[in-house]
Amino acid sequence: MKRNIVIAAVTATALIGGGTATALATTDDGGSARQAANTRLSDDDARDDQDAPDAQDDDAARAASADVTAPEAIASALKHTSGTAVSAELDDEDDSGKVIWKVDVLSGGTTWHSVSVDPSSGKVLGSHTDDEDDTAQVRAALKGATVTAEEAAKAAGGKGTVTSVDLDEDGKNKSWEAETHKSGGAEQDWRIDLHTGKLTADRDQDDDQD
C-alpha cells in the first residue's frame, strides 16, 4: 500500500513538473534495500583496494625482514655448492609466504643448482638441480669478467638493501643487475660493470617508470 502511494505521488509530481521527478519512482522499500546493499558493496570494494599491498610494498617488507645480506647469501650458497653464482633473489618460497634467498649456481658443464638460504641465519636449507637453455650464453658473458655476483651485490649495497642481483647476458652491454630498497620502500635498479665494478643507475628502468 505504501509503495502505491509513493508511485502515485511521484506520478502527480511528474505531470506537474514535466517529468523531472520520475526517478523518484524507484525509491520504494525494495529499491532502498538494493541501493543500501550496493553502497555497502562499493564501500567494501574500496576498502579492499586500499588494504591490498602492491608488489613494491611486498619487496620492501621482504627486504626489512632479512638479516642475511645478498653477498652473505651468495657466499653461503657457494660454500655448499661450488661453481659460479649467477643470480640471487630474496623471494617467497613457492608462494608459501616464507621468505628465502634463492641463489642460482652454475657448476661444471651445464649443471645448474638452485640453492635456498635462510635469510635469518644464512644456513643452506636445501638445493636442487635445474636445466637451463642459456648456459652457453651465460658462460660467454662471464668470460673474462673480474667482478663476481657477490662483489656486485656489495657494490649495490651502498645504495640500499639489495633484494636481487642477476646477470644480464643479453644485448651489447652485458652487466650485473641489482635491485635495492631503501627505508620507506623506495626502489631502484642498478647496473654493475662486469670488469670494473662501476655502479650506475639503470636508466631504462627509470624511463619505464616515467
Side-chain angles (χ1 to χ4, degrees):
M1 187 69 176
K2 182 178 179 181
R3 182 171 181 271
N4 291 336
I5 293 173
V6 172
I7 292 176
V10 170
T11 302
T13 305
L15 290 173
I16 295 171
T20 58
T22 305
L24 294 177
T26 62
T27 59
D28 55 46
D29 293 341
S32 299
R34 286 192 297 273
Q35 183 177 3
N38 289 337
T39 301
R40 286 195 297 272
L41 287 173
S42 298
D43 291 343
D44 290 342
D45 290 342
R47 283 193 292 271
D48 289 343
D49 291 341
Q50 292 173 353
D51 293 341
D54 58 21
Q56 184 166 322
D57 291 337
D58 290 343
D59 289 343
R62 284 194 286 266
S65 67
D67 296 322
V68 175
T69 66
E72 291 170 342
I74 293 171
S76 180
L78 291 177
K79 285 181 181 179
H80 179 272
T81 304
S82 61
T84 302
V86 179
S87 70
E89 181 180 13
L90 188 63
D91 202 359
D92 295 342
E93 183 179 20
D94 300 326
D95 298 325
S96 64
K98 181 180 179 181
V99 176
I100 62 170
W101 279 106
K102 295 180 180 178
V103 183
D104 290 334
V105 178
L106 175 59
S107 59
T110 59
T111 304
W112 288 81
H113 299 269
S114 180
V115 184
S116 300
V117 179
D118 190 307
S120 298
S121 65
K123 181 181 178 181
V124 172
L125 302 174
S127 66
H128 63 270
T129 58
D130 284 332
D131 293 325
E132 302 290 345
D133 57 5
D134 61 345
T135 302
Q137 192 174 359
V138 168
R139 288 198 181 281
L142 290 174
K143 186 177 181 179
T146 57
V147 178
T148 65
E150 184 178 351
E151 291 167 341
K154 287 180 180 178
K159 300 297 183 179
T161 301
V162 178
T163 54
S164 71
V165 59
D166 191 15
L167 176 67
D168 179 12
E169 73 273 17
D170 297 324
K172 182 179 180 181
N173 298 319
K174 299 173 178 58
S175 64
W176 293 107
E177 291 182 328
E179 182 180 280
T180 62
H181 287 264
K182 289 186 177 180
S183 178
E187 174 186 321
Q188 178 66 57
D189 285 355
W190 305 90
R191 286 184 173 272
I192 302 94
D193 190 277
L194 291 171
H195 304 282
T196 66
K198 182 180 178 181
L199 181 75
T200 57
D202 189 343
R203 298 303 179 188
D204 292 339
Q205 185 255 0
D206 293 340
D207 292 343
D208 290 342
Q209 288 185 342
D210 294 340

